[in-house]
Amino acid sequence: MIDPLRIAIVGHTNAGKTSLLRTLARNVDFGEISDRPGTTRHAETIDLRLDGQVAVRFIDTPGLEDSVALLDYLSTLPADSRPERVRAFLRGPEASRSFEQEAKVLRALIEGADAAMIVIDTREPVLPKYRAELEILSWCAKPIMPVLNFVRYVGTRLDDWHQALLESGLHARVEFDVVAPFNGSERQLYSDLATLLPARRQQLNAIVDALALQARERRLAACRVIASGLIDVAALRRALPADEFADELRQKAFVRSFQDDVRRHARRAVDDLLAVFAFRAGDAELADLPQLGGRWEDDLFNPELLKEAGKRLGMGAMIGAGLGAVADVAMAGLSLGAATTLGATIGGAASGGWRPLWRKLENRLNGVQELTVEDPVLLLLADHLLDLARALEQRGHAAQDKLRLQDERIDEDGLRPVVSALGAARGHPDWERGEGRRGAGGSDRQSLEAEIARELDRRFDSPVA
């Protein structure tokens, strides 16, 4: 068994060390993140596990607070080399007095780490204290990888930091925004670290390959989650006897209950997506479109959005057609199962096969009204969930604000095959998952889920322009 790589995460107070670790380890609960300086007071470890084994053991260290004074003090210590001066400092009284925090950092690096990643807030000017930090860390004689943080912010001093690192002899570096990492920058970090640790190159290359495989598996799992949620909604059917449906209050309660079931499936899909990307339930919220109020799930029944989605699916203004008999009930995006004529019933069922046709005929004969969702609802839901999955793939685990999406355009060209494939679920109300029915539908449902997931995967890297 290969010993795990040990990396000390070092840097100035409040530069984003703990945030980097949350992102690299995909652990939103590690440590404490705050705008207050000095949040981390002790060295803590967190592991990156790959294939059940500890691949990297990270050491989160306190922030360096008084590097200029410490550098002056180190320069006064008698020793044959700079690393020996650091060790002499760690053995001396000042390591537990004036420079207690700095001692914790240097001890973690010189005694227990293979290398260090120094996290740099590129929004800050290159002050003397930062140059002193770089020099002190170099005295530990361990490879140092600068991680340039907050590079996406307006006003970042990235060029100044590039020059400062070159002047300090640090030529390898990586740009990595811990809140919104660039795609692939995590793997680039380990690839660059291999140039500093040639004896560990094979191990680091294996980490890069494992991370690439994990990223691919997360994306496929996200597509399966979306596909499963869409099947649940497409298969959703609720019936009410005609005499009860004729009661206005029961009508409203019936429709509200149906809409709530759709929202429940949508919310479960969101929570499952968050779990795939190792976020907590509630860490994301699809923002309201500018013209709307309320929760994002209510967008699914907004008449204007549904009308636009219907046009994109070639349905014109036919959304909710035939539902005018239901007075004062918001029926946008819903279809009534019992048609007004036998011809209309047959025509409406033809696309779904004989099974839904038989069900509609049976319901009509029995005087039962049955609600289902129309295709524009499925298009809106698919578009919402795919946008969310794309955003989560790019989101760092140090982000403290809820993820909010604002996408006013619908990717109908790419999602039209998805909506079309969901037609197969309409004749199978038993495919809807519920309490104790997570395996509902058996192999047929699983085959459809796999088909839709493949279609979603093809669209993942092609968001609407």
Side-chain angles (χ1 to χ4, degrees):
M1 178 178 175
I2 301 176
D3 290 335
L5 189 67
R6 295 179 62 87
I7 303 295
I9 308 300
V10 302
H12 196 72
T13 297
N14 227 33
K17 298 184 297 298
T18 303
S19 297
L20 174 67
L21 285 174
R22 284 190 175 187
T23 296
L24 293 179
R26 289 182 176 79
N27 185 336
V28 296
D29 297 315
F30 175 74
E32 181 182 353
I33 294 177
S34 172
D35 291 333
R36 293 179 291 102
T39 301
T40 300
R41 306 304 296 177
H42 304 282
E44 300 180 63
T45 61
I46 184 171
D47 294 337
L48 172 66
R49 290 182 172 271
L50 299 172
D51 298 324
Q53 303 294 325
V54 178
V56 183
R57 177 154 292 158
F58 295 107
I59 308 167
D60 189 20
T61 65
L64 295 167
E65 296 177 345
D66 196 358
S67 54
V68 173
L70 176 59
L71 182 60
D72 289 341
Y73 177 73
L74 289 173
S75 300
T76 66
L77 296 177
D80 295 333
S81 66
R82 288 178 172 179
E84 284 303 318
R85 286 182 177 177
V86 173
R87 291 189 177 93
F89 157 65
L90 294 175
R91 292 191 297 268
E94 293 302 321
S96 56
R97 295 176 184 171
S98 302
F99 303 111
E100 181 182 7
Q101 292 300 100
E102 288 78 3
K104 294 174 183 177
V105 178
L106 298 180
R107 183 172 285 109
L109 178 55
I110 203 168
E111 295 180 359
D114 299 299
M117 292 181 186
I118 178 169
V119 183
I120 296 171
D121 184 347
T122 57
R123 299 170 299 182
E124 293 287 323
V126 185
L127 300 175
K129 62 181 179 181
Y130 298 133
R131 294 183 184 274
E133 288 174 7
L134 294 172
E135 184 170 351
I136 290 171
L137 292 172
S138 72
W139 285 24
C140 294
K142 294 292 179 73
I144 299 173
M145 169 66 72
V147 178
L148 300 172
N149 194 15
F150 303 115
V151 294
R152 291 189 176 185
Y153 280 73
V154 176
T156 183
R157 294 174 168 85
L158 196 57
D159 291 341
D160 294 342
W161 277 105
H162 285 172
Q163 184 61 34
L165 293 174
L166 290 175
E167 292 171 359
S168 298
L170 298 172
H171 297 271
R173 61 178 182 265
V174 64
E175 296 178 5
F176 193 95
D177 192 310
V178 299
V179 174
F182 295 138
N183 191 27
S185 61
E186 176 187 24
R187 296 191 293 276
Q188 187 64 47
L189 186 152
Y190 290 107
S191 295
D192 291 348
L193 194 58
T195 65
L196 301 180
L197 294 168
R200 296 273 198 160
R201 184 182 301 277
Q202 184 176 356
Q203 186 177 357
L204 283 160
N205 288 340
I207 291 173
V208 171
D209 291 342
L211 289 172
L213 180 60
Q214 280 190 351
R216 179 62 183 152
E217 289 176 344
R218 279 194 300 273
R219 177 177 291 193
L220 293 175
C223 291
R224 289 193 296 269
V225 163
I226 297 172
S228 186
L230 291 171
I231 291 173
D232 286 334
V233 175
L236 183 61
R237 290 177 177 272
R238 296 292 184 267
L240 191 72
D243 58 339
E244 293 187 29
F245 199 83
D247 184 291
E248 182 178 347
L249 293 178
R250 291 180 183 238
Q251 288 174 13
K252 293 181 178 180
F254 181 51
V255 172
R256 281 197 302 269
S257 177
F258 185 87
Q259 292 175 334
D260 285 343
D261 286 340
V262 173
R263 296 184 183 104
R264 175 174 54 83
H265 285 303
R267 175 50 58 184
R268 178 163 65 177
V270 169
D271 289 343
D272 288 348
L273 280 177
L274 288 166
V276 164
F277 292 98
F279 290 98
R280 294 167 297 207
D283 277 351
E285 192 69 50
L286 299 192
D288 304 324
L289 297 176
Q291 69 271 29
L292 297 178
R295 301 176 306 169
W296 77 266
E297 296 98 325
D298 293 330
D299 295 359
L300 298 174
F301 301 107
N302 179 273
E304 293 304 315
L305 288 178
L306 289 169
K307 185 182 294 184
E308 179 65 22
K311 290 178 181 178
R312 293 177 181 274
L313 289 172
M315 297 177 64
M318 298 301 292
I319 306 303
L323 296 175
V326 185
D328 300 323
V329 177
M331 293 289 286
L334 305 182
S335 290
L336 203 57
T340 55
T341 68
L342 183 60
T345 302
I346 295 175
S351 62
W354 287 105
R355 188 169 182 176
L357 171 59
W358 175 256
R359 174 175 292 276
K360 288 191 175 186
L361 287 172
E362 182 181 41
N363 285 344
R364 184 172 184 274
L365 292 173
N366 293 334
V368 173
Q369 303 286 359
E370 190 175 52
L371 280 181
T372 57
V373 299
E374 293 176 330
D375 284 352
V377 173
L378 298 175
L379 177 61
L380 286 177
L381 181 57
D383 188 67
H384 274 318
L385 294 176
L386 188 56
D387 282 342
L388 175 61
R390 288 167 176 153
L392 289 173
E393 188 177 64
Q394 297 296 315
R395 183 174 173 84
H397 289 73
Q400 298 184 64
D401 296 331
K402 285 188 176 183
L403 176 62
R404 298 188 180 278
L405 299 183
Q406 290 183 328
D407 182 7
E408 300 179 51
R409 302 189 62 186
I410 301 172
D411 186 10
E412 80 282 358
D413 291 335
L415 294 176
R416 191 188 302 267
V418 171
V419 175
S420 178
L422 287 167
R426 293 194 177 280
H428 296 277
D430 56 305
W431 286 6
E432 181 198 0
R433 292 174 302 166
E435 289 296 327
R437 297 171 54 203
R438 292 193 66 84
S443 60
D444 290 340
R445 187 190 196 280
Q446 293 171 12
S447 296
L448 179 61
E449 181 180 307
E451 175 189 346
I452 294 173
R454 286 192 295 270
E455 192 65 45
L456 291 166
D457 182 42
R458 283 192 283 269
R459 294 299 304 166
F460 211 100
D461 286 323
S462 304
V464 63

